[in-house]
Amino acid sequence: MKIALVHDYLTQRGGAERVFELLCKRYPDADIFTSLYDPQRTIDLADRAVHTTALQKIPKAAKYFRLLAPFYFPAFRALDLQDYDLIISSSSSFAKAVKKSPKALHVCFCHNITRFLWDTETYLREYADYQRFAPVIEPIFEMLRKVDLEYAQEPDLYIANSSVVARRIQKYYRKRAIFINYPIDTNKFTFSEQKDNFYLASARLLSYKRIDTIVEAFNWLKWPLRILGDGPERERLESKALQNVEFLGYVSDAERSNLMAKARSVIVAALEDYGLVPVEANASGTPVIAYGAGGVLDTQIPGETGVFFKRQTPDALLDALYNAREIAWDYSKIRSHAVDHFSEEAFFNKVDRVMNKVCGFRQS
């Protein structure tokens, strides 16, 4: 069977890219396709050939990839995948649009619907120019929504990363989706029973991540907080933070793993569609303090692996932080829960059952 693996763009290293990295390892003989590829800024694909679209030829396209939104659909449609028997797309936007032969099977691992189109105000509110140019941009987005809905019909099967995303696929794309919580490479996260006296947040510094809520709470507490990640919100957040809050930017995977293992808790204030960070924290034996909505409802057990707060406010987070201090955490149990439910092995056992069933129907 000839297999193609397709991802939206390989220009960063986020949760979606880490999942795609696991798919690439799972299918070592598959050909890899993407719109843009920057090997210095994304997952390690070793010596695997990566086939890109015509957008790769645009100067600095990988750096300003978000500005190319209107061009991704035609770029993916132009890819020639007619010789492949199985297409596995990894997409939160455009890769699902690829064309296939009538006899091929297209399975889309959907990290989300195209969020900037269907939840535009929330997704783009950290970009000041959006509000200024909204009257011009919105008609373009309305056209793109129609195209997105049309191309969303291409996959034969959607596998969503959470129950939340599965419901969105049904609502916006009118397609049924199976949901299988996406995995992490548990071998990359070290376990420690010994926790240091600091808390950790790890996220792209975008407004919807609500890092400002975390900073405000820790400004009041004066407890040590370390923040991993970068983004357009960094300067504003640093200007608000007191000396107990430390911004580390991007760190190596080894350093990130060490920080995850040593933190008293990992804080997540965003409404995450799924959220790999809470699972990564648990794989390190570290409890999570999270806004109790979205994907964490699939992955966390209150009082055993984490604590929820009900509102995205500093006061609600403060209550959760105090509550977490009263719990005698079983760090080994936290780690075991992550390995048993969210390891690569657990994930692909579920995927293989689904794929065998679907391919079996196709062959009959």
Side-chain angles (χ1 to χ4, degrees), residues 22-38:
L22 291 178
L23 290 170
C24 291
K25 291 177 181 177
R26 184 68 172 183
Y27 302 101
D29 297 324
D31 293 331
I32 299 172
F33 294 84
T34 191
S35 60
L36 297 166
Y37 179 46
D38 184 347

Side-chain angles (χ1 to χ4, degrees), residues 92-126:
S92 54
S93 47
F94 309 107
K96 62 181 178 289
V98 293
K99 289 191 294 187
K100 63 180 182 65
S101 73
K103 295 182 179 180
L105 177 69
H106 179 177
V107 177
C108 178
F109 286 80
C110 187
H111 312 288
N112 204 347
I113 60 171
T114 308
R115 190 170 180 181
F116 78 91
L117 294 178
W118 302 102
D119 190 15
T120 303
E121 186 172 347
T122 299
Y123 187 79
L124 295 180
R125 65 185 173 189
E126 68 266 15

Side-chain angles (χ1 to χ4, degrees), residues 123-139:
Y123 187 79
L124 295 180
R125 65 185 173 189
E126 68 266 15
Y127 299 102
D129 287 343
Y130 168 68
Q131 295 296 339
R132 190 187 316 163
F133 295 108
V136 176
I137 295 173
E138 185 53 34

Side-chain angles (χ1 to χ4, degrees), residues 67-345:
L67 300 178
L68 299 174
F71 306 104
Y72 285 110
F73 283 129
F76 276 108
R77 297 298 285 178
L79 289 174
D80 184 7
L81 303 181
Q82 296 300 303
D83 291 338
Y84 292 91
D85 305 298
L86 173 63
I87 296 170
I88 299 175
S89 63
S90 164
S91 181
S92 54
S93 47
F94 309 107
K96 62 181 178 289
V98 293
K99 289 191 294 187
K100 63 180 182 65
S101 73
K103 295 182 179 180
L105 177 69
H106 179 177
V107 177
C108 178
F109 286 80
C110 187
H111 312 288
N112 204 347
I113 60 171
T114 308
R115 190 170 180 181
F116 78 91
L117 294 178
W118 302 102
D119 190 15
T120 303
E121 186 172 347
T122 299
Y123 187 79
L124 295 180
R125 65 185 173 189
E126 68 266 15
Y127 299 102
D129 287 343
Y130 168 68
Q131 295 296 339
R132 190 187 316 163
F133 295 108
V136 176
I137 295 173
E138 185 53 34
I140 298 173
F141 279 14
E142 183 59 33
M143 177 194 68
L144 286 175
R145 287 184 195 108
K146 294 177 182 178
V147 176
D148 189 47
L149 178 59
E150 176 186 350
Y151 291 146
Q153 310 311 307
E154 290 286 345
D156 299 290
L157 173 66
Y158 277 98
I159 298 178
N161 59 0
S162 71
S163 56
V164 173
V165 171
R167 289 193 293 270
R168 288 178 185 164
I169 293 169
Q170 174 69 46
K171 178 180 178 180
Y172 291 98
Y173 293 161
R174 304 162 199 166
K175 299 276 284 189
R176 180 176 172 270
I178 298 167
F179 93 83
I180 301 174
N181 293 139
Y182 288 1
I184 60 169
D185 186 344
T186 52
N187 294 322
K188 289 187 175 181
F189 296 91
T190 57
F191 171 73
S192 176
E193 287 273 7
Q194 302 300 316
K195 304 300 180 184
D196 293 341
N197 187 33
F198 71 90
Y199 291 79
L200 186 70
S202 178
R204 294 172 187 158
L205 301 186
L206 304 172
S207 64
Y208 83 91
K209 294 292 187 179
R210 302 304 294 267
I211 302 297
D212 55 346
T213 298
I214 303 175
V215 168
E216 189 171 341
F218 277 83
N219 279 349
W220 192 90
L221 289 167
K222 306 297 192 297
W223 295 353
L225 171 69
R226 299 178 186 178
I227 298 174
L228 304 181
D230 210 340
E233 286 278 282
R234 181 168 179 172
E235 184 176 350
R236 185 181 74 85
L237 291 167
E238 286 184 320
S239 70
K240 293 179 60 175
L242 299 182
Q243 290 184 348
N244 59 300
V245 179
E246 186 178 2
F247 290 80
L248 302 182
Y250 288 117
V251 300
S252 68
D253 285 350
E255 177 63 13
R256 185 171 181 270
S257 173
N258 181 62
L259 291 166
M260 284 273 190
K262 293 294 187 179
R264 292 192 65 152
S265 294
V266 170
I267 318 296
V268 178
L271 171 56
E272 295 286 4
D273 310 309
Y274 173 43
L276 288 174
V277 168
V279 179
E280 292 170 341
N282 289 168
S284 310
T286 301
V288 173
I289 300 174
Y291 174 51
V296 293
L297 300 180
D298 291 340
T299 65
Q300 299 299 306
I301 304 173
E304 293 187 19
T305 66
V307 171
F308 292 151
F309 52 98
K310 295 182 179 180
R311 302 181 310 281
Q312 290 172 298
T313 64
D315 287 346
L317 174 54
L318 286 172
D319 288 342
L321 285 161
Y322 286 130
N323 290 339
R325 286 220 167 186
E326 299 300 316
I327 296 174
W329 297 104
D330 185 335
Y331 301 126
S332 294
K333 188 174 181 179
I334 292 172
R335 162 77 177 180
S336 295
H337 178 262
V339 172
D340 291 345
H341 293 86
F342 308 109
S343 66
E344 183 178 352
E345 181 181 3

